[in-house]
């Protein structure tokens, strides 16, 4: 057998893994996030195809599964020395921004000035840049514990399409909620973005419908769903918000946008529409369990009550909120009121480090800065990043490890230096200590990271091209 072929054969194809049984044994702790929030010492898990078939202590693993281990017909992952948790869910990102990290002109600005410093640069994006930056962003997320992600792409210059992101996600093997973003109100009409990056509203709606019909999968364990996501109240019209909601509800897809991100955003809403952001969302029909809004840093009491009453979700992005000095989102109050809250790393130009477990840590720490040391525990932060994210994305098949749920889980090696001395509570250690890289990641029953290495792509090759394209983008905008 030629060397290249034998090297490839250790990486199972999607088709092979669908039929393979995967058995996890001996996890130091297996965090289930099930209804009883069980944390199982010496935990085991059995996945058949895309779904979990059994979860419990390794000592109680049923005989039928033991036989499959003995006869070699199951793939076995011995997780001794590791903590296994449900895969983290990222509910807000702009992956193309991985090409524009730490841009000098946008390093020390608040939201509107930050956007104005970057729009021109982004207008030079190409389809390949979308594909490569999406692959890079997904690799970073996967290595940091994320198994399901949304991405909000709202610029389509030079022939770029949402299909470019979708193609990258399929190659990387991530569970993906692709949000068809849009901007239609440029500066000439009183919006924030330059006119060169906005689209015609009829074209936006037609492309949205095409994407839903071509790609949206509403089945259990779906790897790809489409979301309609006009960018923000200050870059699209009332009509586009309303029409998008009508279209989304006709097809049963979710809605997503940015809302109440900072004081200027609230001021724009009051001035342009005579309403608070929450009132505006309600007026547009943008509330319900099929809607989630990014940030909501300045969501007021009335807004929190509205979101709780309607099941409207929030993507909390603590690093981005700190980076842009937007403020501290009232997550404690939201959770107490019953608002569904998930976590998002946000785009890589406003959170230059898209580490999903790191975001969990920052969520916990930032609530404490705002509301005291008991404002959020490590376990609650983990719950927000798993069950919370699943609810925000309107899914009941991810976020927990239990029979019938999708086989999405990650393992962290507790022998890493960052966890030294925290063995008395390894679950809390994941959140309190320096965020580590995953040792193993399984998405939809398929091993996508093993021994800390990404199996679905050659990361060094992706990064070489990513560096070239980032340089090209800067040259083009000169
Ligand atoms: Zn955003």
């Amino acid at each position: 057998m030629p060397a290249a072929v034998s090297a490839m054969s250790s990486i199972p194809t999607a088709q092979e893994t669908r039929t393979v049984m995967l058995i996890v044994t001996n996890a130091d702790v297996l965090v289930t996030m099930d209804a009883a929030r069980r944390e199982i010492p010496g935990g085991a898990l059995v996945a058949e195809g895309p779904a979990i078939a059994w979860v419990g202590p390794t000592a109680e693993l049923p005989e039928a599964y033991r036989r499959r281990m003995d006869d070699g017909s199951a793939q076995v992952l011995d997780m001794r020395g590791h903590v296994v948790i449900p895969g983290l869910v990222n509910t807000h990102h702009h992956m193309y921004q991985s090409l524009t990290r730490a841009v000098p002109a946008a390093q020390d600005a608040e939201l509107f000035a930050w956007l104005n410093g970057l729009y021109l640069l982004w207008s030079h994006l190409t389809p390949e840049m979308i594909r490569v930056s999406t692959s890079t962003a997904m690799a970073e997320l996967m290595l940091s514990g994320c198994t399901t992600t949304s991405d909000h792409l709202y610029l389509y210059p030079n022939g770029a399409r949402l299909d470019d992101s979708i193609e990258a996600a399929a190659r990387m093997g991530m569970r993906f909620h692709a949000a068809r973003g849009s901007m239609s109100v440029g500066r000439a009409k009183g919006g924030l973005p330059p006119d060169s990056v906005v689209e015609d509203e009829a074209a936006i709606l037609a492309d949205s419908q095409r994407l839903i019909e071509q790609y949206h999968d509403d089945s259990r364990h779906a790897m790809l769903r489409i979301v309609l996501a006009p960018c923000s109240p200050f870059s699209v019209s009332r009509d586009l918000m309303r029409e998008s909601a009508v279209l989304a509800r006709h097809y049963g897809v979710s809605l997503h946008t940015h809302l109440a991100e900072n004081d200027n955003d609230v001021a724009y809403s009051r001035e342009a529409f005579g309403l608070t952001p929450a009132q505006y969302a309600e007026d547009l029909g943008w509330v319900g369990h099929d809607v989630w809004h990014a940030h909501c840093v300045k969501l007021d009491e009335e807004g929190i009550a509205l979101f709780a009453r309607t099941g409207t979700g929030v993507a909390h992005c603590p690093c981005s909120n700190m980076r842009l000095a937007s403020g501290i989102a009232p997550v404690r109050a939201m959770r107490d009121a019953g608002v569904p809250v998930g976590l998002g790393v946000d785009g890589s130009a406003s959170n230059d480090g898209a580490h999903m477990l790191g975001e969990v840590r920052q969520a916990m720490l930032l609530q404490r800065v705002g509301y005291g040391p008991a404002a959020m525990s490590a376990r609650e932060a983990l719950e927000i990043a798993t069950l919370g994210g699943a609810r925000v994305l309107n899914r009941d098949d991810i976020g927990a490890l239990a029979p019938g749920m999708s086989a999405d889980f990650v393992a962290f090696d507790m022998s890493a230096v960052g966890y030294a001395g925290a063995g008395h509570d390894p679950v809390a250690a994941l959140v309190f200590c320096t965020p580590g890289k995953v040792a193993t990641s399984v998405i939809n029953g398929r091993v996508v990271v093993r021994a800390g290495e990404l199996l679905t792509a050659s990361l060094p090759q992706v990064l070489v091209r990513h560096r070239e394209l980032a340089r090209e983008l800067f040259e083009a905008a000169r």
Side-chain angles (χ1 to χ4, degrees):
M1 185 183 287
V5 174
S6 77
M8 288 298 294
S9 65
S10 64
I11 303 171
T13 66
Q15 204 50 45
E16 283 166 351
T17 51
R18 287 206 151 268
T19 55
V20 157
M21 176 177 281
L22 192 65
I23 303 181
V24 169
T25 58
N26 301 314
D28 284 8
V29 186
L30 188 135
V31 178
T32 64
M33 290 293 168
D34 65 6
R37 302 291 187 274
R38 277 186 309 159
E39 293 176 3
I40 305 171
L45 177 155
V46 179
E48 285 183 88
I52 294 171
W54 186 89
V55 171
T58 305
E60 295 171 18
L61 194 65
E63 192 46 43
Y65 297 133
R66 286 191 185 283
R67 272 200 300 274
R68 296 287 298 267
M69 288 170 67
D70 293 341
D71 69 18
S73 65
Q75 186 179 1
V76 181
L77 300 174
D78 188 330
M79 287 289 132
R80 222 175 294 257
H82 294 72
V83 172
V84 174
I85 63 172
L88 305 175
V89 179
N90 179 37
T91 61
H92 189 64
H93 207 330
H94 312 288
M95 296 187 181
Y96 71 87
Q97 292 179 10
S98 301
L99 292 160
T100 57
R101 282 173 154 157
V103 172
Q107 281 177 13
D108 305 318
E110 66 74 52
L111 177 66
F112 285 10
W114 172 85
L115 281 167
N116 284 325
L118 289 164
Y119 279 136
L120 180 67
L121 196 52
W122 295 338
S123 71
H124 295 281
L125 285 164
T126 65
E128 189 193 6
M129 289 177 187
I130 302 290
R131 289 193 295 273
V132 174
S133 57
T134 302
S135 299
T136 299
M138 287 189 169
E140 187 174 23
L141 286 173
M142 289 160 83
L143 291 169
S144 67
C146 184
T147 54
T148 296
T149 187
S150 185
D151 185 48
H152 188 186
L153 181 62
Y154 53 83
L155 289 133
Y156 297 91
N158 311 308
R161 301 190 307 163
L162 192 64
D163 310 60
D164 298 313
S165 306
I166 290 169
E167 194 185 299
R171 207 170 330 113
M172 299 301 287
M174 263 199 119
R175 201 178 295 284
F176 190 35
H177 286 225
R180 205 302 178 185
S182 52
M183 298 198 292
S184 64
V185 178
R187 282 186 197 144
K189 293 184 192 160
L192 191 72
D195 295 313
S196 61
V197 293
V198 303
E199 293 176 275
D200 171 70
E201 298 197 348
I204 292 167
L205 290 166
D207 192 46
S208 300
Q209 183 173 2
R210 172 190 72 84
L211 288 159
I212 296 170
E213 291 183 349
Q214 190 170 342
Y215 294 112
H216 183 68
D217 178 0
D218 60 8
S219 65
R220 196 168 177 81
H221 312 303
M223 289 295 283
L224 178 60
R225 288 193 180 155
I226 299 294
V227 176
L228 298 192
C231 187
S232 63
F234 54 82
S235 58
V236 301
S237 72
R238 256 177 216 264
D239 278 352
L240 185 63
M241 293 294 282
R242 287 216 174 90
E243 295 287 321
S244 296
V246 168
L247 188 61
R249 286 178 174 133
H250 174 74
Y251 285 100
V253 308
S254 284
L255 289 162
H256 180 47
T257 193
H258 294 90
L259 200 78
E261 184 163 346
N262 71 2
D263 289 330
N264 289 340
D265 193 5
V266 175
Y268 182 94
S269 181
R270 286 187 181 280
E271 198 174 311
F273 315 118
L275 298 168
T276 66
Q279 288 166 346
Y280 184 55
E282 185 175 30
D283 181 60
L284 297 168
W286 271 67
V287 290
H289 60 90
D290 57 350
V291 183
W292 87 101
H293 297 278
H295 303 300
C296 298
V297 173
K298 299 292 176 180
L299 195 67
D300 57 11
E301 237 174 87
E302 182 195 335
I304 291 173
L306 170 70
F307 277 33
R309 197 164 64 241
T310 54
T312 308
V314 169
H316 174 46
C317 307
C319 285
S320 173
N321 297 161
M322 287 187 272
R323 160 55 146 109
L324 298 174
S326 300
I328 303 174
V331 172
R332 181 68 275 143
M334 290 174 186
R335 295 264 302 168
D336 290 345
V339 176
V341 180
L343 290 186
V345 297
D346 202 3
S348 304
S350 68
N351 172 12
D352 312 66
H355 193 296
M356 195 61 211
L357 186 62
E359 207 66 29
V360 179
R361 181 171 190 247
Q362 295 294 1
M364 177 185 77
L365 297 177
L366 187 57
Q367 285 305 293
R368 291 172 177 215
V369 173
Y371 311 107
M376 189 177 289
S377 69
R379 284 174 169 79
E380 184 178 14
L382 268 183
E383 182 174 318
I384 291 171
T386 50
L387 289 174
R391 191 170 165 210
V392 162
L393 295 185
N394 209 14
R395 295 188 76 127
D396 61 4
D397 57 351
I398 57 171
L401 304 181
M405 300 296 282
S406 300
D408 290 7
F409 54 90
V410 295
F412 291 89
D413 180 354
M414 301 314 286
S415 70
V417 64
Y419 300 122
H424 34 265
D425 190 348
V427 177
L430 287 182
V431 185
F432 275 101
C433 301
T434 303
K437 266 174 60 175
V438 297
T440 298
S441 174
V442 173
I443 301 179
N444 213 39
R446 177 188 187 194
V447 181
V448 293
V449 177
R450 192 76 180 114
E453 296 296 328
L454 193 65
L455 302 182
T456 53
S458 164
L459 186 53
Q461 278 176 22
V462 171
L463 294 179
V464 164
R465 189 64 188 137
H466 189 98
R467 278 193 291 275
E468 289 167 358
L469 292 172
R471 208 163 31 235
E472 271 176 35
L473 187 59
F474 269 76
E475 296 298 324
R478 250 179 223 279

